[in-house]
Amino acid sequence: MTTPATTSLKWGFIGSGKMAGALVRGMIRAGTAEPGSITVSDPLEAARASLAIETGATAAVDNRVVAAASDVIVLAVKPQSMGGVLKELQPLLTNDHLVISIAAGISIDALAAGLGPEARRIVRVMPNTPALLGEGASGYCLGPAARSSDDEIVRSCLDAVGRSFCVPERLLDAVTGLSGSGPAFVYMMIEALSDGGVRVGLPRDIATALAAQTLLGAAKMVLETGLHPGQLKDQVTSPGGTTIAGLHAMERAGIRAGLMDAVQAATNRATELGRG
Ligand SMILES: NC(=O)c1ccc[n+]([C@@H]2O[C@H](COP(=O)([O-])OP(=O)(O)OC[C@H]3O[C@@H](n4cnc5c(N)ncnc54)[C@H](OP(=O)(O)O)[C@@H]3O)[C@@H](O)[C@H]2O)c1
């Protein structure tokens, strides 16, 4: 969602790694921001310079330069680097800045404590790796002092690399368990489907491509038709046919419960790590 209000903003990225790169590229591609309105920093010269050269953004050696140049500051460093970054930015940030953190497991309270009382507009995001290809799924939560217009700003960034959903903070662990860890669950499903294809005689490369394209196609059917997955399943399941035979085998193997358990286990682990 890009509007004149969001395109006139100046964006700063602290950390120029994989996720920051995906967001910067996506925002420029989507017209959310002009390259000249984006500043990126990173202690690693190669990281900040290559992102800047590739995208036309400005590279800054010092995180404080990013803070001074930006309306929206995206904290895109690993969780273990966040303490130092917050300490460095704390004297510079005010309520004129919107701070968006994509670091896993760091709560809005912890961000607010690190940023101090002057910078209260905080958004916490849980993205996932397909954002690198513009097909991400993100959950985000606005902090209590965020303005209603901040929702539009954060979505202009996240929707440039996929789809985003606003949830209460207590559900961000569930987002981590479903869409954060989910790509790995799906990779395992693709691998297993490919193994099945090889078992019935297909060459490995064709089996893997068929499996991955089938998941992509089925996902698009769900998203683009808006039909319930069960309804789509019924549409391809003829009486006494091949698909119902396969579905019966899946039910016997407990695939549904296995996937539900995977989301539950990953969510529980996210909660445990967040407490630590
Ligand atoms: N990748 C994912 O799928 C994913 C999914 C969900 C959430 N996230 C979150 O997204 C954040 C970024 O992940 P990523 O995969 O993009 O990590 P990354 O590729 O390692 O990028 C982080 C970058 O920040 C730099 N950095 C470290 N300390 C800094 C400082 N004080 N000031 C400025 N930059 C600093 C790092 O430099 P050095 O290498 O020199 O330390 C690194 O280049 C993480 O907090 C992660 O939890 C990632």
Side-chain angles (χ1 to χ4, degrees), residues 13-21 41-44 47 63 75-82 84-85 88 101-105 125-130 132 180:
F13 286 79
I14 308 286
S16 305
K18 292 185 283 299
M19 217 23 108
S41 66
D42 200 290
L44 219 63
N63 289 339
L75 304 177
V77 298
K78 293 280 190 206
Q80 58 270 27
S81 307
M82 191 62 90
V85 166
E88 199 178 8
S101 166
I102 63 166
V125 177
M126 183 61 210
N128 71 357
T129 41
L132 302 175

PDB file of all heavy atoms in Angstrom, residues 13-21 41-44 47 63 75-82 84-85 88 101-105 125-130 132 180, ligand 1:
ATOM      1  N   PHE A  13      17.897   2.035   7.383  1.00  0.00           N
ATOM      2  CA  PHE A  13      18.050   0.621   7.760  1.00  0.00           C
ATOM      3  C   PHE A  13      19.328   0.452   8.560  1.00  0.00           C
ATOM      4  O   PHE A  13      20.421   0.747   8.070  1.00  0.00           O
ATOM      5  CB  PHE A  13      18.082  -0.278   6.510  1.00  0.00           C
ATOM      6  CG  PHE A  13      16.729  -0.422   5.879  1.00  0.00           C
ATOM      7  CD1 PHE A  13      16.210   0.593   5.075  1.00  0.00           C
ATOM      8  CD2 PHE A  13      15.947  -1.534   6.127  1.00  0.00           C
ATOM      9  CE1 PHE A  13      14.945   0.485   4.523  1.00  0.00           C
ATOM     10  CE2 PHE A  13      14.682  -1.664   5.579  1.00  0.00           C
ATOM     11  CZ  PHE A  13      14.175  -0.652   4.781  1.00  0.00           C
ATOM     12  N   ILE A  14      19.172  -0.007   9.805  1.00  0.00           N
ATOM     13  CA  ILE A  14      20.332  -0.324  10.649  1.00  0.00           C
ATOM     14  C   ILE A  14      20.589  -1.810  10.463  1.00  0.00           C
ATOM     15  O   ILE A  14      19.766  -2.644  10.853  1.00  0.00           O
ATOM     16  CB  ILE A  14      20.040  -0.019  12.144  1.00  0.00           C
ATOM     17  CG1 ILE A  14      19.515   1.399  12.338  1.00  0.00           C
ATOM     18  CG2 ILE A  14      21.259  -0.323  12.999  1.00  0.00           C
ATOM     19  CD1 ILE A  14      20.528   2.499  12.199  1.00  0.00           C
ATOM     20  N   GLY A  15      21.730  -2.144   9.836  1.00  0.00           N
ATOM     21  CA  GLY A  15      21.981  -3.519   9.406  1.00  0.00           C
ATOM     22  C   GLY A  15      21.635  -3.619   7.935  1.00  0.00           C
ATOM     23  O   GLY A  15      20.547  -3.216   7.520  1.00  0.00           O
ATOM     24  N   SER A  16      22.611  -4.097   7.140  1.00  0.00           N
ATOM     25  CA  SER A  16      22.396  -4.211   5.687  1.00  0.00           C
ATOM     26  C   SER A  16      22.510  -5.662   5.247  1.00  0.00           C
ATOM     27  O   SER A  16      23.084  -5.948   4.196  1.00  0.00           O
ATOM     28  CB  SER A  16      23.425  -3.355   4.928  1.00  0.00           C
ATOM     29  OG  SER A  16      23.384  -2.028   5.369  1.00  0.00           O
ATOM     30  N   GLY A  17      21.982  -6.571   6.055  1.00  0.00           N
ATOM     31  CA  GLY A  17      22.077  -8.002   5.752  1.00  0.00           C
ATOM     32  C   GLY A  17      20.982  -8.461   4.812  1.00  0.00           C
ATOM     33  O   GLY A  17      20.422  -7.667   4.042  1.00  0.00           O
ATOM     34  N   LYS A  18      20.660  -9.751   4.925  1.00  0.00           N
ATOM     35  CA  LYS A  18      19.737 -10.375   3.971  1.00  0.00           C
ATOM     36  C   LYS A  18      18.348  -9.737   4.016  1.00  0.00           C
ATOM     37  O   LYS A  18      17.764  -9.398   2.990  1.00  0.00           O
ATOM     38  CB  LYS A  18      19.612 -11.873   4.298  1.00  0.00           C
ATOM     39  CG  LYS A  18      20.895 -12.651   4.034  1.00  0.00           C
ATOM     40  CD  LYS A  18      20.702 -14.134   4.258  1.00  0.00           C
ATOM     41  CE  LYS A  18      20.678 -14.529   5.726  1.00  0.00           C
ATOM     42  NZ  LYS A  18      21.918 -14.239   6.487  1.00  0.00           N
ATOM     43  N   MET A  19      17.827  -9.572   5.240  1.00  0.00           N
ATOM     44  CA  MET A  19      16.453  -9.099   5.357  1.00  0.00           C
ATOM     45  C   MET A  19      16.347  -7.619   4.975  1.00  0.00           C
ATOM     46  O   MET A  19      15.414  -7.214   4.281  1.00  0.00           O
ATOM     47  CB  MET A  19      16.009  -9.321   6.801  1.00  0.00           C
ATOM     48  CG  MET A  19      14.625  -9.735   7.042  1.00  0.00           C
ATOM     49  SD  MET A  19      13.687 -10.539   5.780  1.00  0.00           S
ATOM     50  CE  MET A  19      13.605 -12.184   6.367  1.00  0.00           C
ATOM     51  N   ALA A  20      17.319  -6.814   5.429  1.00  0.00           N
ATOM     52  CA  ALA A  20      17.306  -5.396   5.055  1.00  0.00           C
ATOM     53  C   ALA A  20      17.384  -5.271   3.536  1.00  0.00           C
ATOM     54  O   ALA A  20      16.640  -4.482   2.924  1.00  0.00           O
ATOM     55  CB  ALA A  20      18.484  -4.668   5.714  1.00  0.00           C
ATOM     56  N   GLY A  21      18.258  -6.076   2.919  1.00  0.00           N
ATOM     57  CA  GLY A  21      18.409  -6.031   1.461  1.00  0.00           C
ATOM     58  C   GLY A  21      17.094  -6.353   0.771  1.00  0.00           C
ATOM     59  O   GLY A  21      16.695  -5.677  -0.194  1.00  0.00           O
ATOM     60  N   SER A  41      23.054   1.325   6.925  1.00  0.00           N
ATOM     61  CA  SER A  41      24.344   1.247   7.620  1.00  0.00           C
ATOM     62  C   SER A  41      24.642  -0.201   7.961  1.00  0.00           C
ATOM     63  O   SER A  41      23.747  -1.056   7.987  1.00  0.00           O
ATOM     64  CB  SER A  41      24.325   2.085   8.900  1.00  0.00           C
ATOM     65  OG  SER A  41      23.414   1.533   9.814  1.00  0.00           O
ATOM     66  N   ASP A  42      25.911  -0.464   8.218  1.00  0.00           N
ATOM     67  CA  ASP A  42      26.356  -1.796   8.626  1.00  0.00           C
ATOM     68  C   ASP A  42      27.827  -1.655   8.990  1.00  0.00           C
ATOM     69  O   ASP A  42      28.554  -0.926   8.309  1.00  0.00           O
ATOM     70  CB  ASP A  42      26.201  -2.797   7.458  1.00  0.00           C
ATOM     71  CG  ASP A  42      26.185  -4.234   7.917  1.00  0.00           C
ATOM     72  OD1 ASP A  42      27.250  -4.727   8.353  1.00  0.00           O
ATOM     73  OD2 ASP A  42      25.111  -4.874   7.870  1.00  0.00           O
ATOM     74  N   PRO A  43      28.281  -2.337  10.041  1.00  0.00           N
ATOM     75  CA  PRO A  43      29.710  -2.245  10.361  1.00  0.00           C
ATOM     76  C   PRO A  43      30.564  -2.836   9.240  1.00  0.00           C
ATOM     77  O   PRO A  43      31.719  -2.448   9.049  1.00  0.00           O
ATOM     78  CB  PRO A  43      29.861  -3.056  11.653  1.00  0.00           C
ATOM     79  CG  PRO A  43      28.590  -3.787  11.855  1.00  0.00           C
ATOM     80  CD  PRO A  43      27.544  -3.174  10.988  1.00  0.00           C
ATOM     81  N   LEU A  44      29.960  -3.777   8.500  1.00  0.00           N
ATOM     82  CA  LEU A  44      30.692  -4.434   7.413  1.00  0.00           C
ATOM     83  C   LEU A  44      30.608  -3.553   6.163  1.00  0.00           C
ATOM     84  O   LEU A  44      29.526  -3.403   5.580  1.00  0.00           O
ATOM     85  CB  LEU A  44      29.996  -5.778   7.138  1.00  0.00           C
ATOM     86  CG  LEU A  44      30.860  -6.971   6.817  1.00  0.00           C
ATOM     87  CD1 LEU A  44      31.760  -7.313   7.989  1.00  0.00           C
ATOM     88  CD2 LEU A  44      29.957  -8.156   6.472  1.00  0.00           C
ATOM     89  N   ALA A  47      28.970  -5.094   3.142  1.00  0.00           N
ATOM     90  CA  ALA A  47      27.506  -5.255   3.208  1.00  0.00           C
ATOM     91  C   ALA A  47      26.809  -3.943   2.862  1.00  0.00           C
ATOM     92  O   ALA A  47      25.911  -3.902   2.009  1.00  0.00           O
ATOM     93  CB  ALA A  47      27.092  -5.727   4.601  1.00  0.00           C
ATOM     94  N   ASN A  63      25.614   4.509  12.467  1.00  0.00           N
ATOM     95  CA  ASN A  63      24.165   4.359  12.666  1.00  0.00           C
ATOM     96  C   ASN A  63      23.510   5.696  13.012  1.00  0.00           C
ATOM     97  O   ASN A  63      22.328   5.911  12.721  1.00  0.00           O
ATOM     98  CB  ASN A  63      23.880   3.369  13.796  1.00  0.00           C
ATOM     99  CG  ASN A  63      24.219   1.939  13.396  1.00  0.00           C
ATOM    100  OD1 ASN A  63      24.283   1.626  12.213  1.00  0.00           O
ATOM    101  ND2 ASN A  63      24.442   1.085  14.384  1.00  0.00           N
ATOM    102  N   LEU A  75      15.142  -1.585  12.269  1.00  0.00           N
ATOM    103  CA  LEU A  75      16.222  -2.267  12.978  1.00  0.00           C
ATOM    104  C   LEU A  75      16.311  -3.674  12.418  1.00  0.00           C
ATOM    105  O   LEU A  75      15.465  -4.522  12.714  1.00  0.00           O
ATOM    106  CB  LEU A  75      15.927  -2.292  14.484  1.00  0.00           C
ATOM    107  CG  LEU A  75      15.678  -0.919  15.134  1.00  0.00           C
ATOM    108  CD1 LEU A  75      15.320  -1.087  16.614  1.00  0.00           C
ATOM    109  CD2 LEU A  75      16.883  -0.002  14.962  1.00  0.00           C
ATOM    110  N   ALA A  76      17.336  -3.919  11.577  1.00  0.00           N
ATOM    111  CA  ALA A  76      17.450  -5.193  10.854  1.00  0.00           C
ATOM    112  C   ALA A  76      18.745  -5.897  11.224  1.00  0.00           C
ATOM    113  O   ALA A  76      19.434  -6.444  10.371  1.00  0.00           O
ATOM    114  CB  ALA A  76      17.368  -4.951   9.347  1.00  0.00           C
ATOM    115  N   VAL A  77      19.070  -5.863  12.525  1.00  0.00           N
ATOM    116  CA  VAL A  77      20.270  -6.558  13.016  1.00  0.00           C
ATOM    117  C   VAL A  77      19.826  -7.827  13.742  1.00  0.00           C
ATOM    118  O   VAL A  77      18.654  -7.981  14.093  1.00  0.00           O
ATOM    119  CB  VAL A  77      21.105  -5.668  13.966  1.00  0.00           C
ATOM    120  CG1 VAL A  77      21.601  -4.441  13.234  1.00  0.00           C
ATOM    121  CG2 VAL A  77      20.306  -5.273  15.211  1.00  0.00           C
ATOM    122  N   LYS A  78      20.763  -8.730  13.983  1.00  0.00           N
ATOM    123  CA  LYS A  78      20.456  -9.949  14.735  1.00  0.00           C
ATOM    124  C   LYS A  78      20.080  -9.557  16.167  1.00  0.00           C
ATOM    125  O   LYS A  78      20.580  -8.556  16.691  1.00  0.00           O
ATOM    126  CB  LYS A  78      21.691 -10.857  14.776  1.00  0.00           C
ATOM    127  CG  LYS A  78      22.076 -11.417  13.425  1.00  0.00           C
ATOM    128  CD  LYS A  78      21.218 -12.599  13.065  1.00  0.00           C
ATOM    129  CE  LYS A  78      21.776 -13.295  11.824  1.00  0.00           C
ATOM    130  NZ  LYS A  78      20.724 -13.994  11.097  1.00  0.00           N
ATOM    131  N   PRO A  79      19.244 -10.373  16.806  1.00  0.00           N
ATOM    132  CA  PRO A  79      18.808 -10.024  18.173  1.00  0.00           C
ATOM    133  C   PRO A  79      19.980  -9.728  19.118  1.00  0.00           C
ATOM    134  O   PRO A  79      19.906  -8.820  19.941  1.00  0.00           O
ATOM    135  CB  PRO A  79      18.032 -11.273  18.614  1.00  0.00           C
ATOM    136  CG  PRO A  79      17.542 -11.871  17.333  1.00  0.00           C
ATOM    137  CD  PRO A  79      18.587 -11.586  16.300  1.00  0.00           C
ATOM    138  N   GLN A  80      21.076 -10.487  18.974  1.00  0.00           N
ATOM    139  CA  GLN A  80      22.196 -10.294  19.902  1.00  0.00           C
ATOM    140  C   GLN A  80      22.909  -8.952  19.705  1.00  0.00           C
ATOM    141  O   GLN A  80      23.630  -8.500  20.583  1.00  0.00           O
ATOM    142  CB  GLN A  80      23.196 -11.466  19.849  1.00  0.00           C
ATOM    143  CG  GLN A  80      23.814 -11.748  18.491  1.00  0.00           C
ATOM    144  CD  GLN A  80      23.000 -12.737  17.662  1.00  0.00           C
ATOM    145  OE1 GLN A  80      21.781 -12.854  17.824  1.00  0.00           O
ATOM    146  NE2 GLN A  80      23.662 -13.436  16.762  1.00  0.00           N
ATOM    147  N   SER A  81      22.692  -8.293  18.541  1.00  0.00           N
ATOM    148  CA  SER A  81      23.310  -6.979  18.303  1.00  0.00           C
ATOM    149  C   SER A  81      22.388  -5.837  18.731  1.00  0.00           C
ATOM    150  O   SER A  81      22.774  -4.660  18.682  1.00  0.00           O
ATOM    151  CB  SER A  81      23.622  -6.791  16.809  1.00  0.00           C
ATOM    152  OG  SER A  81      24.379  -7.853  16.318  1.00  0.00           O
ATOM    153  N   MET A  82      21.159  -6.173  19.125  1.00  0.00           N
ATOM    154  CA  MET A  82      20.154  -5.125  19.329  1.00  0.00           C
ATOM    155  C   MET A  82      20.474  -4.218  20.517  1.00  0.00           C
ATOM    156  O   MET A  82      20.252  -2.998  20.458  1.00  0.00           O
ATOM    157  CB  MET A  82      18.768  -5.768  19.508  1.00  0.00           C
ATOM    158  CG  MET A  82      17.637  -4.788  19.467  1.00  0.00           C
ATOM    159  SD  MET A  82      17.518  -3.923  17.891  1.00  0.00           S
ATOM    160  CE  MET A  82      16.444  -5.027  17.011  1.00  0.00           C
ATOM    161  N   GLY A  84      23.289  -3.080  21.769  1.00  0.00           N
ATOM    162  CA  GLY A  84      24.238  -2.028  21.407  1.00  0.00           C
ATOM    163  C   GLY A  84      23.615  -0.994  20.482  1.00  0.00           C
ATOM    164  O   GLY A  84      23.854   0.213  20.625  1.00  0.00           O
ATOM    165  N   VAL A  85      22.808  -1.458  19.548  1.00  0.00           N
ATOM    166  CA  VAL A  85      22.167  -0.545  18.587  1.00  0.00           C
ATOM    167  C   VAL A  85      21.201   0.400  19.311  1.00  0.00           C
ATOM    168  O   VAL A  85      21.196   1.617  19.078  1.00  0.00           O
ATOM    169  CB  VAL A  85      21.432  -1.360  17.483  1.00  0.00           C
ATOM    170  CG1 VAL A  85      20.485  -0.483  16.694  1.00  0.00           C
ATOM    171  CG2 VAL A  85      22.441  -2.027  16.568  1.00  0.00           C
ATOM    172  N   GLU A  88      23.007   3.055  21.223  1.00  0.00           N
ATOM    173  CA  GLU A  88      23.583   4.058  20.328  1.00  0.00           C
ATOM    174  C   GLU A  88      22.509   5.032  19.814  1.00  0.00           C
ATOM    175  O   GLU A  88      22.739   6.237  19.702  1.00  0.00           O
ATOM    176  CB  GLU A  88      24.195   3.294  19.148  1.00  0.00           C
ATOM    177  CG  GLU A  88      25.207   4.041  18.355  1.00  0.00           C
ATOM    178  CD  GLU A  88      25.766   3.154  17.243  1.00  0.00           C
ATOM    179  OE1 GLU A  88      25.266   2.024  17.010  1.00  0.00           O
ATOM    180  OE2 GLU A  88      26.704   3.620  16.590  1.00  0.00           O
ATOM    181  N   SER A 101      11.160  -2.854  14.273  1.00  0.00           N
ATOM    182  CA  SER A 101      12.144  -3.907  14.548  1.00  0.00           C
ATOM    183  C   SER A 101      11.707  -5.201  13.887  1.00  0.00           C
ATOM    184  O   SER A 101      10.560  -5.628  14.058  1.00  0.00           O
ATOM    185  CB  SER A 101      12.272  -4.127  16.055  1.00  0.00           C
ATOM    186  OG  SER A 101      12.961  -5.343  16.294  1.00  0.00           O
ATOM    187  N   ILE A 102      12.649  -5.830  13.168  1.00  0.00           N
ATOM    188  CA  ILE A 102      12.326  -7.143  12.587  1.00  0.00           C
ATOM    189  C   ILE A 102      13.066  -8.257  13.333  1.00  0.00           C
ATOM    190  O   ILE A 102      13.088  -9.399  12.890  1.00  0.00           O
ATOM    191  CB  ILE A 102      12.644  -7.208  11.068  1.00  0.00           C
ATOM    192  CG1 ILE A 102      14.148  -7.029  10.805  1.00  0.00           C
ATOM    193  CG2 ILE A 102      11.832  -6.205  10.292  1.00  0.00           C
ATOM    194  CD1 ILE A 102      14.542  -7.423   9.376  1.00  0.00           C
ATOM    195  N   ALA A 103      13.689  -7.919  14.456  1.00  0.00           N
ATOM    196  CA  ALA A 103      14.478  -8.915  15.191  1.00  0.00           C
ATOM    197  C   ALA A 103      13.573  -9.912  15.904  1.00  0.00           C
ATOM    198  O   ALA A 103      12.666  -9.518  16.635  1.00  0.00           O
ATOM    199  CB  ALA A 103      15.386  -8.215  16.202  1.00  0.00           C
ATOM    200  N   ALA A 104      13.865 -11.192  15.707  1.00  0.00           N
ATOM    201  CA  ALA A 104      13.044 -12.245  16.321  1.00  0.00           C
ATOM    202  C   ALA A 104      13.158 -12.180  17.835  1.00  0.00           C
ATOM    203  O   ALA A 104      14.253 -11.999  18.388  1.00  0.00           O
ATOM    204  CB  ALA A 104      13.515 -13.600  15.808  1.00  0.00           C
ATOM    205  N   GLY A 105      12.025 -12.315  18.506  1.00  0.00           N
ATOM    206  CA  GLY A 105      12.026 -12.542  19.955  1.00  0.00           C
ATOM    207  C   GLY A 105      12.226 -11.317  20.836  1.00  0.00           C
ATOM    208  O   GLY A 105      12.228 -11.453  22.051  1.00  0.00           O
ATOM    209  N   VAL A 125       7.984  -6.659  14.094  1.00  0.00           N
ATOM    210  CA  VAL A 125       7.608  -7.454  12.913  1.00  0.00           C
ATOM    211  C   VAL A 125       8.232  -8.838  12.986  1.00  0.00           C
ATOM    212  O   VAL A 125       9.363  -8.988  13.447  1.00  0.00           O
ATOM    213  CB  VAL A 125       8.132  -6.755  11.621  1.00  0.00           C
ATOM    214  CG1 VAL A 125       7.828  -7.600  10.391  1.00  0.00           C
ATOM    215  CG2 VAL A 125       7.552  -5.362  11.471  1.00  0.00           C
ATOM    216  N   MET A 126       7.498  -9.842  12.535  1.00  0.00           N
ATOM    217  CA  MET A 126       8.083 -11.175  12.321  1.00  0.00           C
ATOM    218  C   MET A 126       7.949 -11.511  10.843  1.00  0.00           C
ATOM    219  O   MET A 126       6.874 -11.892  10.364  1.00  0.00           O
ATOM    220  CB  MET A 126       7.336 -12.197  13.187  1.00  0.00           C
ATOM    221  CG  MET A 126       7.915 -13.601  13.076  1.00  0.00           C
ATOM    222  SD  MET A 126       9.629 -13.651  13.626  1.00  0.00           S
ATOM    223  CE  MET A 126      10.253 -14.973  12.610  1.00  0.00           C
ATOM    224  N   PRO A 127       9.043 -11.330  10.088  1.00  0.00           N
ATOM    225  CA  PRO A 127       8.990 -11.657   8.647  1.00  0.00           C
ATOM    226  C   PRO A 127       9.379 -13.120   8.400  1.00  0.00           C
ATOM    227  O   PRO A 127       9.616 -13.852   9.351  1.00  0.00           O
ATOM    228  CB  PRO A 127      10.053 -10.712   8.068  1.00  0.00           C
ATOM    229  CG  PRO A 127      11.048 -10.527   9.163  1.00  0.00           C
ATOM    230  CD  PRO A 127      10.345 -10.805  10.481  1.00  0.00           C
ATOM    231  N   ASN A 128       9.425 -13.551   7.155  1.00  0.00           N
ATOM    232  CA  ASN A 128      10.013 -14.873   6.864  1.00  0.00           C
ATOM    233  C   ASN A 128      10.870 -14.802   5.599  1.00  0.00           C
ATOM    234  O   ASN A 128      10.835 -13.808   4.859  1.00  0.00           O
ATOM    235  CB  ASN A 128       8.951 -15.994   6.821  1.00  0.00           C
ATOM    236  CG  ASN A 128       8.041 -15.940   5.611  1.00  0.00           C
ATOM    237  OD1 ASN A 128       8.132 -15.038   4.781  1.00  0.00           O
ATOM    238  ND2 ASN A 128       7.154 -16.902   5.505  1.00  0.00           N
ATOM    239  N   THR A 129      11.661 -15.850   5.378  1.00  0.00           N
ATOM    240  CA  THR A 129      12.684 -15.783   4.320  1.00  0.00           C
ATOM    241  C   THR A 129      12.156 -15.614   2.895  1.00  0.00           C
ATOM    242  O   THR A 129      12.845 -14.997   2.094  1.00  0.00           O
ATOM    243  CB  THR A 129      13.632 -17.007   4.323  1.00  0.00           C
ATOM    244  OG1 THR A 129      12.866 -18.171   4.553  1.00  0.00           O
ATOM    245  CG2 THR A 129      14.710 -16.874   5.348  1.00  0.00           C
ATOM    246  N   PRO A 130      10.964 -16.115   2.527  1.00  0.00           N
ATOM    247  CA  PRO A 130      10.528 -15.869   1.143  1.00  0.00           C
ATOM    248  C   PRO A 130      10.384 -14.380   0.806  1.00  0.00           C
ATOM    249  O   PRO A 130      10.231 -14.027  -0.371  1.00  0.00           O
ATOM    250  CB  PRO A 130       9.194 -16.629   1.063  1.00  0.00           C
ATOM    251  CG  PRO A 130       9.354 -17.751   2.048  1.00  0.00           C
ATOM    252  CD  PRO A 130      10.109 -17.120   3.197  1.00  0.00           C
ATOM    253  N   LEU A 132      12.762 -12.623   0.644  1.00  0.00           N
ATOM    254  CA  LEU A 132      13.931 -12.422  -0.221  1.00  0.00           C
ATOM    255  C   LEU A 132      13.530 -12.489  -1.694  1.00  0.00           C
ATOM    256  O   LEU A 132      14.217 -11.929  -2.552  1.00  0.00           O
ATOM    257  CB  LEU A 132      15.014 -13.472   0.069  1.00  0.00           C
ATOM    258  CG  LEU A 132      15.538 -13.539   1.520  1.00  0.00           C
ATOM    259  CD1 LEU A 132      16.505 -14.686   1.699  1.00  0.00           C
ATOM    260  CD2 LEU A 132      16.215 -12.227   1.906  1.00  0.00           C
ATOM    261  N   GLY A 180       6.987 -18.130  10.206  1.00  0.00           N
ATOM    262  CA  GLY A 180       8.439 -17.951  10.393  1.00  0.00           C
ATOM    263  C   GLY A 180       9.161 -19.274  10.165  1.00  0.00           C
ATOM    264  O   GLY A 180      10.104 -19.359   9.378  1.00  0.00           O
TER     265      GLY A 180
HETATM  266  N1  LIG B   1      16.429 -14.048   7.677  1.00  0.00           N
HETATM  267  C1  LIG B   1      15.220 -14.414   8.100  1.00  0.00           C
HETATM  268  O1  LIG B   1      14.558 -15.289   7.576  1.00  0.00           O
HETATM  269  C2  LIG B   1      14.547 -13.735   9.226  1.00  0.00           C
HETATM  270  C3  LIG B   1      13.247 -14.091   9.543  1.00  0.00           C
HETATM  271  C4  LIG B   1      12.639 -13.438  10.601  1.00  0.00           C
HETATM  272  C5  LIG B   1      13.321 -12.473  11.302  1.00  0.00           C
HETATM  273  N2  LIG B   1      14.585 -12.151  10.956  1.00  0.00           N
HETATM  274  C6  LIG B   1      15.272 -11.148  11.728  1.00  0.00           C
HETATM  275  O2  LIG B   1      15.800 -10.176  10.878  1.00  0.00           O
HETATM  276  C7  LIG B   1      16.978  -9.658  11.473  1.00  0.00           C
HETATM  277  C8  LIG B   1      18.040  -9.589  10.417  1.00  0.00           C
HETATM  278  O3  LIG B   1      18.254 -10.910   9.913  1.00  0.00           O
HETATM  279  P1  LIG B   1      19.161 -11.159   8.627  1.00  0.00           P
HETATM  280  O4  LIG B   1      18.918 -12.563   8.218  1.00  0.00           O
HETATM  281  O5  LIG B   1      18.975 -10.049   7.643  1.00  0.00           O
HETATM  282  O6  LIG B   1      20.617 -11.042   9.327  1.00  0.00           O
HETATM  283  P2  LIG B   1      22.020 -10.694   8.655  1.00  0.00           P
HETATM  284  O7  LIG B   1      22.029 -11.056   7.211  1.00  0.00           O
HETATM  285  O8  LIG B   1      23.076 -11.260   9.562  1.00  0.00           O
HETATM  286  O9  LIG B   1      22.053  -9.096   8.745  1.00  0.00           O
HETATM  287  C9  LIG B   1      22.269  -8.377   9.914  1.00  0.00           C
HETATM  288  C10 LIG B   1      23.324  -7.325   9.583  1.00  0.00           C
HETATM  289  O10 LIG B   1      23.391  -6.381  10.652  1.00  0.00           O
HETATM  290  C11 LIG B   1      24.738  -6.047  10.839  1.00  0.00           C
HETATM  291  N3  LIG B   1      25.004  -5.461  12.156  1.00  0.00           N
HETATM  292  C12 LIG B   1      25.447  -6.068  13.289  1.00  0.00           C
HETATM  293  N4  LIG B   1      25.606  -5.174  14.273  1.00  0.00           N
HETATM  294  C13 LIG B   1      25.264  -3.971  13.763  1.00  0.00           C
HETATM  295  C14 LIG B   1      25.263  -2.657  14.283  1.00  0.00           C
HETATM  296  N5  LIG B   1      25.631  -2.399  15.545  1.00  0.00           N
HETATM  297  N6  LIG B   1      24.862  -1.637  13.489  1.00  0.00           N
HETATM  298  C15 LIG B   1      24.480  -1.873  12.207  1.00  0.00           C
HETATM  299  N7  LIG B   1      24.483  -3.105  11.657  1.00  0.00           N
HETATM  300  C16 LIG B   1      24.868  -4.140  12.412  1.00  0.00           C
HETATM  301  C17 LIG B   1      25.445  -7.368  10.650  1.00  0.00           C
HETATM  302  O11 LIG B   1      26.825  -7.170  10.460  1.00  0.00           O
HETATM  303  P3  LIG B   1      27.837  -8.341  10.962  1.00  0.00           P
HETATM  304  O12 LIG B   1      27.610  -9.480  10.038  1.00  0.00           O
HETATM  305  O13 LIG B   1      29.177  -7.698  10.830  1.00  0.00           O
HETATM  306  O14 LIG B   1      27.452  -8.654  12.386  1.00  0.00           O
HETATM  307  C18 LIG B   1      24.728  -7.936   9.421  1.00  0.00           C
HETATM  308  O15 LIG B   1      25.320  -7.486   8.215  1.00  0.00           O
HETATM  309  C19 LIG B   1      17.342 -10.588  12.640  1.00  0.00           C
HETATM  310  O16 LIG B   1      17.102  -9.940  13.861  1.00  0.00           O
HETATM  311  C20 LIG B   1      16.433 -11.767  12.490  1.00  0.00           C
HETATM  312  O17 LIG B   1      15.995 -12.225  13.749  1.00  0.00           O
HETATM  313  C21 LIG B   1      15.218 -12.758   9.932  1.00  0.00           C
END
